[in-house]
Amino acid sequence: DQQVKQNSPSLSVQEGRISILNCDYTNSMFDYFLWYKKYPAEGPTFLISISSIKDKNEDGRFTVFLNKSAKHLSLHIVPSQPGDSAVYFCAASAQGGSEKLVFGKGTKLTVNP
Amino acid sequence: DGGITQSPKYLFRKEGQNVTLSCEQNLNHDAMYWYRQDPGQGLRLIYYSQIVNDFQKGDIAEGYSVSREKKESFPLTVTSAQKNPTAFYLCAVGDPWSNQPQHFGDGTRLSIL
């Protein structure tokens, strides 16, 4: 049973517009959430995280929103750039740290010039 | 990520052979992790180790073995018992007792000849 779900396998946006990537989870014990960016044949790169005590975390063009009641988080990229084109993975852990991350299947973002 | 070295980048194995994937880190992180990625799938945890000489099974440990004799090294052996070993293998490091993300190496792609 998938505990972390990214229901959109792909997303295409125009350069300069907002990209919104979504993630849903089922385990109410998850208390730490992360987004990773991955290029083909490379390891994932950490982008941004959020603890369950917050509902928003911002880092430059990247903002993560957490809705605990809906068990939903989203990553906003504004403005989107062609270099943002990659696969984005949502991940979650249940012990307040980087212990035993559970990953979604990823969303492939394409930013068109 | 700088400081996490996975080798080799590409590895080929004949049916029935064991093969060992290397992961070395100089970031002084206590915990090390092995994940497997298949096409269109998220990352799945194989094994992890929080301290030298100790390791735990992840979600898909069957057909794999590990050792943690040194803090810097966490080799993964893919045994002949692993029925579908062709995949992209990723090593990560982290500190499980803090709210810090895991960081990944660049991965090893294993293929069956």
Side-chain angles (χ1 to χ4, degrees):
Chain A
D1 185 32
Q2 259 192 294
Q3 298 186 69
V4 177
K5 298 179 183 179
Q6 294 178 256
N7 291 320
S8 297
S10 63
L11 174 68
S12 183
V13 300
Q14 286 300 118
E15 181 178 4
R17 305 296 290 270
I18 184 172
S19 296
I20 300 176
L21 295 94
N22 293 304
C23 178
D24 297 297
Y25 62 95
T26 57
N27 188 340
S28 57
M29 297 300 291
F30 287 148
D31 59 4
Y32 184 59
F33 304 89
L34 308 90
W35 285 95
Y36 285 88
K37 174 182 179 180
K38 186 180 182 301
Y39 295 114
E42 294 184 9
T45 301
F46 169 72
L47 268 179
I48 193 168
S49 63
I50 188 166
S51 164
S52 59
I53 62 173
K54 295 184 175 182
D55 54 18
K56 177 183 174 181
N57 189 25
E58 196 170 352
D59 184 1
R61 296 186 297 115
F62 302 92
T63 302
V64 56
F65 295 92
L66 175 62
N67 183 334
K68 290 186 290 294
S69 61
K71 293 189 177 69
H72 177 82
L73 66 155
S74 60
L75 175 68
H76 293 210
I77 306 174
V78 183
S80 301
Q81 301 173 352
D84 295 330
S85 297
V87 177
Y88 289 77
F89 288 98
C90 169
S93 78
Q95 296 183 9
S98 62
E99 176 69 19
K100 292 188 68 176
L101 292 178
V102 179
F103 284 82
K105 292 187 176 183
T107 296
K108 183 177 182 180
L109 173 66
T110 302
V111 180
N112 301 303
Chain B
D1 268 47
I4 305 169
T5 303
Q6 288 190 244
S7 61
K9 182 70 174 176
Y10 299 96
L11 190 57
F12 299 91
R13 190 192 93 171
K14 291 183 179 179
E15 296 261 9
Q17 282 184 338
N18 293 353
V19 64
T20 298
L21 284 63
S22 170
C23 179
E24 304 278 333
Q25 59 122 347
N26 61 6
L27 301 174
N28 202 36
H29 284 293
D30 287 314
M32 298 185 74
Y33 309 82
W34 275 105
Y35 293 89
R36 168 181 172 141
Q37 187 192 13
D38 295 284
Q41 301 293 319
L43 281 65
R44 292 182 291 167
L45 182 65
I46 305 172
Y47 267 99
Y48 65 102
S49 168
Q50 294 181 331
I51 196 169
V52 174
N53 292 322
D54 185 59
F55 48 83
Q56 308 294 329
K57 292 182 179 180
D59 299 320
I60 54 166
E62 184 175 352
Y64 299 97
S65 66
V66 294
S67 63
R68 186 89 185 273
E69 297 178 1
K70 300 185 299 182
K71 187 175 184 178
E72 301 79 18
S73 178
F74 191 40
L76 173 74
T77 297
V78 184
T79 75
S80 57
Q82 170 49 238
K83 298 305 178 188
N84 186 20
T86 296
F88 191 50
Y89 290 87
L90 288 155
C91 175
V93 301
D95 291 310
W97 300 285
S98 65
N99 249 8
Q100 297 296 322
Q102 292 180 18
H103 294 280
F104 287 81
D106 280 339
T108 293
R109 179 162 299 282
L110 175 63
S111 301
I112 300 302
L113 292 177

